[in-house]
Amino acid sequence: MEMSEIQAARLLLGGDGRAGQAASRQVGQESASVRYGEVKSVDAEAGTMTVLLDGQAREITLTDATASTRLKAGDRVKIVKQGQSWVIDLAGGISRALDTAVNEASARMDAHDQAMAQQQAAIEAAQAELAGMDGKISDAVDTAISQLETPDGGNRIYAGADEPTPPKDGLKAGDLWYQTNASGQIAAVKVWNGTVWNGYDMVANSILVAGSVGSTLIADGAVTTSKITSGAVKADQIAANTITGKKIKAKSVDVNSIASGDIYCKRLTATDGAGYTEMTGSKLEMLDSDSKRLFAIHIDSGTCFMNAVKADKILINTLTSGASLSFSKNGHIFSSVNPGFMVNGVSAVESFAVTPDSATGSFSKRLDALPPNLSFAVVYYKCTYTGTVGSVKFPITRSGSANVVLKELTAFESADGSIAVGCVENIAVSVDTATGFTLTVTRGNPYRFAVKPLGNSINANPGSQFAITQVTLCG
């Protein structure tokens, strides 16, 4: 076996070429100027290292700039005496780990090469065997099929891509030819009619399928069986009263109705593609074809929120009880059988709140609807002159009118010594149903009263100091 460079160096320096403590002790005993040991630590920057000599309990520190850059902890080294100093002999250093690793790696490579050679030989043998198997199988199949005869013993069955070669006694009417394609699959079945090969048609009242015990029947225009198992069933149309299965996958299913306990899908889309409905978590949304929201309803912290993005009004109607709830930008309407709510502190069965266009002038409002049983109205107003608000409730009917007095009287002393009394105004309220639902409020002449030290004062133009904030129609 070839020796490594380190083994040769050991032999030249008086060792036996083997790594180990025994060799080190042998050399150390023969020469007092040679020692062997193991590197424990290296400081390359300082150029020093600590070495534990064989047979010694304490480490020694040596200074060698070159050795400190080439050795590391765990290396075996040879130390020689030069004059009065001990130095490291790099050429005669011992590295058991290196020798062992080289030998082990060489052994593993040899074993690997042998395994690869055996595997390659097995692959080549298998390839050679497969190369000759195709021809043998094809010849065996052709021979076996060509020798098959029908039960009457008079006809033969041939198989192959080319037209069969007539036997010595010639082809017989009724002989079959399984014509194969380039892949060896049967592409056609033909029968010899005595002159030419024609397509072969099988005629039978029924065909018993193996394993079906008579429950499978193939007839004209129908296949009757309890189960059809296939990787794919391809057809332009499947007409059936019921299709039962754990899973039906299709790009599209065109039916008038789907009866199912649950329908699981990512999205339900209308047939005309105009929009779709989507439910995610606690939110239900209706979206148009551009995925823009039309209507949404969701529940958050015990509250149900409804949002109609492109609608001016939301109407919730219960036809059986006659109750309805209507919201629009002009106000809201409640309708129910019995009263049970308050509108601005007024008990009502149904109500519709109207905000005037002008708080200090007459106005008319066209309404979307009226309470079915309109019976009274409430006018809310404020008087900034006295710093108070007020309201007046009065009877009114559909297509009716009423005259109302608004007054806010409060006594207080102003900075100039006058005493403010308040504001008074007469207004007319009417509800017109002839051309729709229209509320009209006609303002009169508002007055502001004040008592001054030099006499009474009546101001007929309080302006924005006396304003109407809301009118509520109630039933």
Side-chain angles (χ1 to χ4, degrees):
M1 180 179 68
E2 293 182 359
M3 290 184 296
S4 65
E5 293 180 359
I6 294 179
Q7 290 173 323
R10 290 176 184 150
L11 188 60
L12 291 173
L13 293 172
D16 59 1
R18 295 175 300 170
Q21 296 287 347
S24 300
R25 286 194 296 270
Q26 179 180 355
V27 175
Q29 293 170 357
E30 293 176 353
S31 175
S33 62
V34 178
R35 295 287 187 272
Y36 294 90
E38 180 180 343
V39 177
K40 292 299 182 179
S41 64
V42 177
D43 188 345
E45 295 183 359
T48 62
M49 64 195 72
T50 57
V51 179
L52 179 61
L53 299 177
D54 294 345
Q56 301 296 321
R58 297 180 60 184
E59 299 174 355
I60 64 173
T61 300
L62 300 176
T63 300
D64 190 325
T66 302
S68 64
T69 61
R70 298 177 59 182
L71 298 175
K72 62 179 182 299
D75 287 343
R76 294 285 299 173
V77 294
K78 177 181 178 181
I79 304 175
V80 297
K81 189 172 184 181
Q82 294 182 358
Q84 299 299 319
S85 302
W86 291 90
V87 298
I88 295 176
D89 183 4
L90 291 176
I94 301 174
S95 176
R96 296 175 181 172
L98 179 60
D99 290 343
T100 301
V102 170
N103 293 334
E104 291 179 352
S106 178
R108 286 197 299 269
M109 288 298 295
D110 292 342
H112 176 73
D113 291 342
Q114 293 177 1
M116 288 295 294
Q118 293 175 357
Q119 185 175 8
Q120 183 64 29
I123 291 174
E124 292 175 354
Q127 289 175 341
E129 184 179 357
L130 288 174
M133 189 174 294
D134 288 343
K136 294 179 181 178
I137 293 175
S138 179
D139 293 342
V141 171
D142 292 343
T143 301
I145 293 179
S146 65
Q147 293 176 354
L148 286 176
E149 294 184 352
T150 55
D152 61 7
N155 293 107
R156 295 184 176 89
I157 299 176
Y158 302 91
D162 299 326
E163 184 175 322
T165 301
K168 293 181 180 180
D169 55 353
L171 296 170
K172 296 181 181 180
D175 287 352
L176 296 179
W177 170 27
Y178 292 167
Q179 187 178 13
T180 58
N181 57 22
S183 301
Q185 299 171 335
I186 297 176
V189 178
K190 296 183 178 182
V191 60
W192 181 255
N193 67 356
T195 304
V196 294
W197 292 99
N198 291 324
Y200 178 70
D201 296 325
M202 180 179 289
V203 179
N205 291 330
S206 63
I207 298 176
L208 178 64
V209 179
S212 66
V213 197
S215 62
T216 297
L217 178 65
I218 301 176
D220 184 18
V223 177
T224 304
T225 182
S226 60
K227 182 186 295 184
I228 296 178
T229 302
S230 174
V233 177
K234 297 181 179 181
D236 292 335
Q237 183 177 8
I238 298 177
N241 292 329
T242 304
I243 297 177
T244 303
K246 291 184 178 180
K247 184 182 293 186
I248 298 176
K249 290 185 176 180
K251 291 185 177 180
S252 64
V253 179
D254 188 2
V255 294
N256 292 327
S257 63
I258 298 177
S260 173
D262 296 289
I263 297 178
Y264 298 94
C265 62
K266 291 184 178 180
R267 190 171 76 183
L268 289 177
T269 303
T271 55
D272 60 357
Y276 59 93
T277 301
E278 188 175 65
M279 184 169 185
T280 56
S282 61
K283 180 185 293 184
L284 177 64
E285 293 182 304
M286 294 175 58
L287 303 99
D288 61 15
S289 57
D290 295 327
S291 298
K292 294 181 180 179
R293 185 187 302 154
L294 299 174
F295 176 77
I297 179 171
H298 71 281
I299 299 175
D300 187 9
S301 302
T303 302
C304 180
F305 296 88
M306 291 187 293
N307 183 15
V309 178
K310 296 185 178 182
D312 293 331
K313 180 172 65 176
I314 297 177
L315 175 63
I316 303 175
N317 189 22
T318 303
L319 297 178
T320 56
S321 63
S324 65
L325 172 61
S326 176
F327 296 94
S328 71
K329 60 184 180 181
N330 294 327
H332 54 272
I333 295 178
F334 295 90
S335 179
S336 61
V337 177
N338 297 312
F341 57 88
M342 304 288 288
V343 178
N344 294 326
V346 179
S347 177
V349 175
E350 51 267 325
S351 67
F352 197 90
V354 179
T355 301
D357 294 328
S358 172
T360 58
S362 301
F363 64 90
S364 291
K365 280 281 188 177
R366 185 176 177 82
L367 311 178
D368 293 333
L370 282 176
N373 300 312
L374 179 62
S375 58
F376 65 94
V378 182
V379 176
Y380 300 88
Y381 55 92
K382 64 180 180 179
C383 182
T384 57
Y385 177 63
T386 59
T388 56
V389 295
S391 64
V392 57
K393 177 182 177 181
F394 55 93
I396 195 170
T397 60
R398 298 165 70 93
S399 300
S401 62
N403 294 322
V404 184
V405 177
L406 309 180
K407 56 183 178 180
E408 189 63 31
L409 304 177
T410 303
F412 68 91
E413 185 173 357
S414 61
D416 60 356
S418 62
I419 298 176
V421 176
C423 298
V424 177
E425 180 181 2
N426 294 323
I427 66 171
V429 179
S430 63
V431 179
D432 179 17
T433 59
T435 58
F437 306 120
T438 303
L439 170 68
T440 301
V441 176
T442 304
R443 302 289 296 267
N445 295 319
Y447 292 91
R448 185 181 67 188
F449 296 90
V451 179
K452 294 185 177 181
L454 300 179
N456 296 337
S457 174
I458 297 177
N459 183 355
N461 186 19
S464 60
Q465 292 178 329
F466 197 57
I468 295 177
T469 57
Q470 183 176 293
V471 178
T472 301
L473 302 177
C474 303

